[in-house]
Structures are given as C-alpha cells and as structure tokens.
Amino acid sequence: SLAITLLVITFSFPAVRAAASDLLSLFRVQKFAAISVSPEQLVLLEQVAEQGIMPGTLEIDQEPGALTAVNSLAEAASLTGLTEVRSLPQLGSPEEIFISSGGNGRFTIDEANARSLLDAANLNPDLLPPGIDGAGIRVAIFDGVEQRWADGTTLLQTDSPVVQYPDELDPALVGEALLQVLGLNPLEANRLANQIDWTSTLLLPIPSNMATFQEVTVQGVSGIGLSSVDGTINALVWQQNGRLYLLAGAQSTEVLTELANSVE
C-alpha cells in the first residue's frame, strides 16, 4: 500500500528507523528533505542492528496501511473525513478506490543504547544531548484515500502526519547526529542540520543503490521526486494545505509532475 510507502522509505532499515524517530515538539509534516545513503553505510547500519544495538523501543499502537475497497470518492471522503478528495481527470475515473487506514505509535529512547549505536557506527556518542533517556516520541498517521488506474498510476492523499517529541530534545542537534549516522561527515551534517527546519520537515533517507531523488515543484509547492534505479517506478511526494500526496507510476518524473499539477 502506498499509505506506508513513506514509512518504508524512511524506516527501511532497523538502525535508520530507530534513529529517524529521534527527529520528532508537536508538528504536522509540511515538507520533506531527502538524503542519499550509500550501500556501504547501509551495510554498517545493518551490522550495528544485528548486534542488537537499538536506540530505544518502538511500540505500534495501530499498524497503518490496511486497505478497504470502496465504490466512489464520495464514499471514501465520507468514511475518512477528508473533504474535497482530489483526483486525476486526465486519466479518467480510477479503476479502484481504497481507504487506507491510519496508525500511530511511540518510540521510547534508551540513552545508553543510543550512544552505543553512535559509537558502533564510529561516531561521537556525545553528539546526542544528555538527559534523553526514556523520552518518548509519538507519530500519528491518518486515514487516506488511494486511487488506482489501469496503467498502474496510483494517487494517495491523507492529512499530513503529526509528530510530537519532548521539549527537552533539541531537534537540530539530534538531526545532526542522525545525518552523521546516515553517512554525512561532521561538517556536512552540521551545515545541513542548520538549514533544515526540523519543526516541520520529515527527513527521507534514500538508499543510493535503490533510488535517486530530485526536488520538484507541484502546484507552487516544493516536493521530492523519486526514481528507482532499475527504472521501473517513479514517485512524487508533496504537501499542500495540510494534506500529504504521493503519486506513483511507471511514467517519468517529468510526466508525473505534469500529472501532479493537474490534480483537482
């Protein structure tokens, strides 16, 4: 399901999944920042994860992504509470329409393990701020509407996810630590961490051996275009007026961008 594609991208590897959760005071995701992660760094993170060094525990209260078929966009809007469900008139009526269920969970930080993870990844454990042991981060993903067309094009729309992290966490410092975990050198991580507004931005780690990315503009807002290395699928992710959109298909990123600009 496309409802969990973003989570799969962001949390595909255990160490990345746990570390990424540290980024999260209360905010609704408004934009995205992508970073390329090398295969070598992924191997290192997987080795760390295999050692059982996890920076905390992840509890899923409700698993997102379950699909329920419905007969019309009006029915989908009624059942999800989404107003003005948008579609792609250029492609005609969708062949299938689903409600994609939301979900929520909590990540609880284990400070000692988090520092051990950094040390195992050959990074400075003091990158993490003191006093974060037991801090909890909550993430809520909402019900969405997923449309599918005969040519394989899929459009998901849902209210933007909401993230809440403890006030004692400085998201820029934790973000800088995460960027180093993902393979950036200290100077690059510091520079990028200071450019990102961590109170509204979700970081997307993109494995360089799986996909490439580029910044795109959709209906006047900034988004991320993703292209699989094998060329079989491309996707766009953007946020507009409090709603998150994910458009995917076999078309080129340029064609998908044209389609995205026609969403109404």
Side-chain angles (χ1 to χ4, degrees):
S1 155
L2 284 179
I4 56 173
T5 298
L6 286 179
L7 292 181
V8 171
I9 292 172
T10 309
F11 306 135
S12 5
F13 330 101
V16 174
R17 178 179 63 237
S21 298
D22 292 358
L23 295 180
L24 312 171
S25 189
L26 177 65
F27 76 85
R28 186 178 291 275
V29 174
Q30 298 177 24
K31 50 192 173 183
F32 306 92
I35 177 175
S36 183
V37 185
S38 71
E40 294 77 16
Q41 192 69 14
L42 294 179
V43 169
L44 173 60
L45 293 175
E46 292 291 356
Q47 289 173 346
V48 170
E50 289 170 1
Q51 295 174 29
I53 305 175
M54 300 298 291
T57 56
L58 179 65
E59 299 173 87
I60 303 296
D61 299 321
Q62 180 182 345
E63 194 80 36
L67 296 179
T68 303
V70 296
N71 295 317
S72 68
L73 292 179
E75 182 184 1
S78 174
L79 292 173
T80 60
L82 287 174
T83 58
E84 299 180 337
V85 174
R86 304 171 75 190
S87 192
L88 291 165
Q90 285 189 16
L91 300 182
S93 299
E95 190 172 73
E96 297 177 296
I97 303 171
F98 299 91
I99 291 173
S100 177
S101 68
N104 59 80
R106 173 186 174 90
F107 181 80
T108 304
I109 298 173
D110 183 310
E111 184 174 347
N113 277 2
R115 295 187 189 282
S116 295
L117 184 149
L118 290 174
D119 186 57
N122 300 315
L123 298 172
N124 182 2
D126 293 333
L127 281 169
L128 287 178
I132 61 172
D133 190 55
I137 299 138
R138 298 200 65 86
V139 181
I141 299 169
F142 302 101
D143 292 350
V145 177
E146 184 175 312
Q147 303 170 63
R148 299 178 183 175
W149 284 265
D151 66 354
T153 304
T154 307
L155 174 66
L156 167 73
Q157 55 197 291
T158 179
D159 284 339
S160 293
V162 169
V163 179
Q164 183 176 21
Y165 62 81
D167 290 337
E168 60 267 25
L169 280 183
D170 181 339
L173 288 177
V174 179
E176 183 175 345
L178 174 59
L179 290 170
Q180 290 196 42
V181 167
L182 295 176
L184 270 65
N185 66 49
L187 287 178
E188 291 175 322
N190 179 263
R191 179 185 58 80
L192 186 55
N194 285 309
Q195 291 178 351
I196 294 175
D197 179 1
W198 297 102
T199 64
S200 64
T201 304
L202 182 65
L203 188 68
L204 300 179
I206 310 297
S208 62
N209 60 341
M210 293 174 61
T212 60
F213 64 88
Q214 60 182 308
E215 186 172 349
V216 297
T217 300
V218 177
Q219 300 192 357
V221 300
S222 177
I224 299 292
L226 301 167
S227 301
S228 64
V229 171
D230 63 9
T232 59
I233 190 168
N234 298 296
L236 302 182
V237 183
W238 75 98
Q239 192 274 2
Q240 189 174 29
N241 299 325
R243 187 169 295 182
L244 171 69
Y245 296 89
L246 179 60
L247 175 64
Q251 305 94 321
S252 68
T253 301
E254 291 74 20
V255 172
L256 285 178
T257 302
E258 291 178 7
L259 274 176
N261 280 312
S262 73
V263 168
E264 61 180 55

